[in-house]
């Protein structure tokens, strides 16, 4: 699975040379439902081509379509789907994200990328990562309360050989000679010389293991934990927990882990791992939500927080929102004027109407604020938004 991070989102929110194509569709993990996914994708491609040809010449449309069409013909890709798919493409950019929550089928061809479905997923508070670690192998997974998937690790060594390469200790070869009738004798012939591979010494094995753990720890922190900000749970045999924690410098590593080896990981083990991980994540998730909500209530009592959409929109445009809670799956039809912060309400059936809550979230993220998507049953307001102001 391709992990989506806040760095990806920041890049997507930046200015790009149009046209910017955003394609979203729900997908399925299992047969026979997943057989319909590539068909629905190709239907969206037809709509995409028709939309592009209304504004752009054929010489510009063809290279844009080729990137999307190549994905449509990749049988292996369509046999391994998650709950949703996001494909974003422009003249110089083409990115595919596998989503662990369903999304509505949507195609947008515009001057900028459509990010609302990604915001919903990226800013949800129940996400986490799991590092499955053995003496010679490592795997990284990302999940939420509903699903857990292996993610790509292009910058993290998956094996001890990848991590240490030529520095990996080789098995020791010793030479022994044995005297007597079968020993050394006769014209200097070494009849009794024998070569023995005694394998790695225990201290050398332990040293290689520790060095492997250090390399994995640094790479996971640099390329996954730090960009995502997600809690990291260790899943390993009991004998590896203490050595890894001793060398780890990853501040996102949780104190509580899972004591079991998950290598290889089949579908049944993956579900078992998800269940065990969520048992440990859920209390942290609920505690984080409680603190965010308490923080909002305190700020509102001091006139530094609001759930009034007009006030929040104005503060967001001015860069005054430090934290924004947004109600999951709620849509408030309308749009926000990015220059003035004024709200224009509308009808959701109008193609020019956006979602005010998503516009708020984008504005807050552009000014380096934090956005957290909160389940409806835990939302502290009735408007769909709860903002804490910086000043």
């Amino acid at each position: 699975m391709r992990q989506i991070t806040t760095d990806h989102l920041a890049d997507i929110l930046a200015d790009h040379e149009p046209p910017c194509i955003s394609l979203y569709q729900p997908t399925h993990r299992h047969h026979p439902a997943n057989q319909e996914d590539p068909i629905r994708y190709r239907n969206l491609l037809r709509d995409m081509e028709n939309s592009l040809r209304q504004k752009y010449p054929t010489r510009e449309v063809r290279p844009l379509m080729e990137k999307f069409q190549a994905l449509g013909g990749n049988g292996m890709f369509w046999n391994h789907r998650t709950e949703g798919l996001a494909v974003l493409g422009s003249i110089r950019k083409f990115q595919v994200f596998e989503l662990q929550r369903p999304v509505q089928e949507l195609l947008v061809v515009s001057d900028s990328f459509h990010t609302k479905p990604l915001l919903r997923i990226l800013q949800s508070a129940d996400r986490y990562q799991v590092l499955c670690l053995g003496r010679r192998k490592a795997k990284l997974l990302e999940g939420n309360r509903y699903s857990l998937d292996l993610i790509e690790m292009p910058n993290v060594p998956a094996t001890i050989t990848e991590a240490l390469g030529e520095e990996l200790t080789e098995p020791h070869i010793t030479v022994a000679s044995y005297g007597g009738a079968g020993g050394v004798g006769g014209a200097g012939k070494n009849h009794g010389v024998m070569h023995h591979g005694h394998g790695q010494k225990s201290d050398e094995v332990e040293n290689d293991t520790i060095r492997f753990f250090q390399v994995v720890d640094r790479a996971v922190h640099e390329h996954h934990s730090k960009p995502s900000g997600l809690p990291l749970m260790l899943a390993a045999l009991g004998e590896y927990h203490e050595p890894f924690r001793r060398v780890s410098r990853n501040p996102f590593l949780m104190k509580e882990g899972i004591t079991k080896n998950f290598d290889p990981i089949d579908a049944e083990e993956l579900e078992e791992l998800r269940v065990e991980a969520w048992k440990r994540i859920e209390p942290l998730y609920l505690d984080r939500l409680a603190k965010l909500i308490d923080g909002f209530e305190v700020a509102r009592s001091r006139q530094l927080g609001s759930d009034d959409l007009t006030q929040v929109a104005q503060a967001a445009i001015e860069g005054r929102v430090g934290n924004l809670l947004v109600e999951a799956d709620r849509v408030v039809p309308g749009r926000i004027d990015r220059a003035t912060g004024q709200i224009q309400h509308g009808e959701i059936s109008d193609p020019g109407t956006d979602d005010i809550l998503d516009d708020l979230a984008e504005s807050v993220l552009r000014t380096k604020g934090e956005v957290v998507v909160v389940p409806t049953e835990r939302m502290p307001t009735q408007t769909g938004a709860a903002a804490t102001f910086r000043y």
Side-chain angles (χ1 to χ4, degrees):
M1 186 185 77
R2 173 83 184 282
Q3 174 197 22
I4 181 170
T5 68
T6 53
D7 288 342
H8 288 134
L9 183 60
D11 180 54
I12 293 167
L13 289 173
D15 293 331
H16 297 277
E17 183 178 351
C20 296
I21 305 166
S22 307
L23 184 154
Y24 295 91
Q25 77 168 85
T27 51
H28 304 82
R29 291 178 182 266
H30 306 295
H31 184 86
N34 64 359
Q35 300 300 297
E36 295 295 320
D37 294 341
I39 298 174
R40 296 175 69 174
Y41 179 81
R42 287 192 288 270
N43 290 338
L44 286 170
L45 293 195
R46 283 197 292 270
D47 295 339
M48 179 192 303
E49 184 170 11
N50 291 335
S51 179
L52 286 168
R53 289 187 182 280
Q54 292 178 18
K55 188 174 181 180
Y56 298 94
T58 300
R59 67 177 182 276
E60 295 183 20
V61 171
R62 186 177 296 113
L64 284 167
M65 290 299 303
E66 285 175 352
K67 301 175 183 178
F68 286 86
Q69 289 167 341
L71 187 65
N74 187 334
M76 182 65 71
F77 175 84
W78 291 103
N79 285 332
H80 298 84
R81 294 295 84 236
T82 53
E83 279 73 21
L85 175 67
V87 187
L88 308 180
S90 64
I91 295 173
R92 293 183 174 84
K93 181 173 292 294
F94 186 78
Q95 291 184 309
V96 179
F97 297 106
E98 299 167 89
L99 312 178
Q100 292 178 304
R101 284 181 171 86
V103 291
Q104 291 186 346
E105 188 172 285
L106 180 67
L107 173 67
V108 178
V109 179
S110 183
D111 292 340
S112 62
F113 288 116
H114 184 81
T115 62
K116 294 177 176 64
L118 296 182
L119 280 172
R120 292 297 190 199
I121 291 169
L122 184 61
Q123 304 305 124
S124 292
D126 63 347
R127 297 168 62 222
Y128 60 90
Q129 293 180 342
V130 179
L131 176 62
C132 291
L133 187 68
R135 187 175 69 81
R136 303 182 66 86
K137 294 181 180 180
K139 293 184 176 73
L140 190 63
L141 302 94
E142 185 172 315
N144 52 43
R145 75 185 81 182
Y146 304 113
S147 57
L148 182 65
D149 294 283
L150 287 165
I151 62 177
E152 297 176 9
M153 301 195 308
N155 299 304
V156 180
T159 67
I160 193 170
T161 303
E162 290 181 23
L164 303 184
E166 295 180 355
E167 297 180 13
L168 181 63
T169 305
E170 295 293 337
H172 288 270
I173 305 296
T174 60
V175 180
S177 60
Y178 300 87
V184 179
K189 295 179 180 179
N190 295 338
H191 296 291
V193 177
M194 300 182 66
H195 296 265
H196 297 273
H198 292 292
Q200 293 178 317
K201 297 179 182 178
S202 60
D203 58 340
E204 291 170 336
V205 171
E206 181 179 357
N207 184 51
D208 284 348
T209 300
I210 294 300
R211 291 193 295 140
F212 174 51
F213 288 177
Q214 289 174 320
V215 173
V216 170
D217 178 67
R218 285 195 298 267
V220 168
H221 176 232
E222 182 66 26
H223 300 289
H224 294 279
S225 295
K226 190 162 65 172
S228 70
L230 298 179
L232 177 69
M233 187 180 308
L234 178 63
L237 292 175
E239 62 194 270
Y240 298 135
H241 277 256
E242 192 279 330
F244 181 78
R245 294 180 185 280
R246 189 170 66 243
V247 302
S248 176
R249 298 295 181 266
N250 191 335
F252 299 94
L253 180 64
M254 295 173 54
K255 293 182 178 179
E256 187 177 5
I258 299 174
T259 305
K260 184 175 179 180
N261 179 36
F262 288 92
D263 183 34
I265 302 179
D266 58 25
E268 185 175 339
E269 284 187 317
L270 195 61
E271 176 60 14
E272 178 189 349
L273 180 57
R274 184 198 65 79
V275 171
E276 291 299 317
W278 183 243
K279 287 179 183 177
R280 293 157 176 80
I281 289 291
E282 186 175 23
L284 300 178
Y285 162 70
L286 295 176
D287 181 63
R288 183 189 179 204
L289 284 184
K291 288 179 179 177
L292 288 169
I293 292 170
D294 287 346
F296 164 72
E297 297 292 1
V298 170
R300 181 162 60 173
S301 70
R302 298 173 178 173
Q303 307 301 312
L304 286 174
S306 177
D307 64 344
D308 182 276
L309 296 185
T310 300
Q311 293 180 13
V312 175
Q314 188 68 45
I317 294 299
E318 294 171 355
R320 293 193 290 114
V321 178
N323 184 279
L324 177 68
L325 307 182
V326 178
E327 185 175 333
D329 302 321
R330 181 165 182 171
V331 174
V332 180
R335 59 193 309 172
I336 298 175
D337 188 314
R338 289 188 180 181
T340 66
Q342 295 296 311
I343 288 179
Q344 300 172 357
H345 292 278
E347 298 294 332
I348 196 63
S349 57
D350 183 351
T353 298
D354 286 326
D355 175 6
I356 292 173
L357 297 181
D358 284 317
D359 285 352
L360 283 176
E362 287 188 15
S363 296
V364 172
L365 289 172
R366 289 177 186 274
T367 56
K368 308 301 181 183
E370 181 183 14
V371 177
V372 178
V373 178
V374 179
T376 300
E377 65 273 14
R378 297 190 179 277
M379 192 68 194
T381 69
Q382 299 299 315
T383 64
T388 299
F389 303 146
R390 290 172 170 140
Y391 55 89

